Amino acid sequence: MSGLILYELSGCPYCAKVKNTLSELGLEYESREVPRSHSERTAVEEISGQTGVPVLVDEEHGVEGMSESDDIVAYLEETYGGAS
């Protein structure tokens, strides 16, 4: 079982960028769709302190709510990319 959880929104280009990286690295993750309305994104706000997506949780490495797609992609490549 993977400890990766991605909070995302359908049609979000930033979420797609992160999902592409997860796919390229062959990583399994749990997808959690968030409501369109920012005011209803309480779960995302609780873990990351803001309501934007994507947000990544990596239980195995103690990451509890990383936001910003570029930061998430860099983290995934550094942590799971291995020697390229």
Side-chain angles (χ1 to χ4, degrees):
M1 180 178 155
S2 171
L4 294 172
I5 302 168
L6 180 65
Y7 289 83
E8 62 172 310
L9 181 64
S10 179
C12 164
Y14 303 106
C15 300
K17 179 179 180 178
V18 172
K19 288 170 68 170
N20 287 341
T21 301
L22 287 161
S23 178
E24 287 170 7
L25 295 172
L27 297 171
E28 291 184 17
Y29 64 97
E30 179 182 335
S31 173
R32 294 194 183 163
E33 192 85 13
V34 301
R36 287 215 167 269
S37 171
H38 281 263
S39 64
E40 296 176 17
R41 297 181 187 175
T42 53
V44 171
E45 190 169 15
E46 285 174 15
I47 61 165
S48 68
Q50 48 88 46
T51 58
V53 289
V55 170
L56 181 76
V57 173
D58 184 352
E59 296 169 340
E60 187 176 327
H61 291 93
V63 174
E64 297 180 357
M66 180 181 291
S67 58
E68 298 300 327
S69 59
D70 288 338
D71 292 345
I72 295 171
V73 167
Y75 166 78
L76 290 170
E77 290 175 343
E78 182 178 312
T79 306
Y80 296 100
S84 297

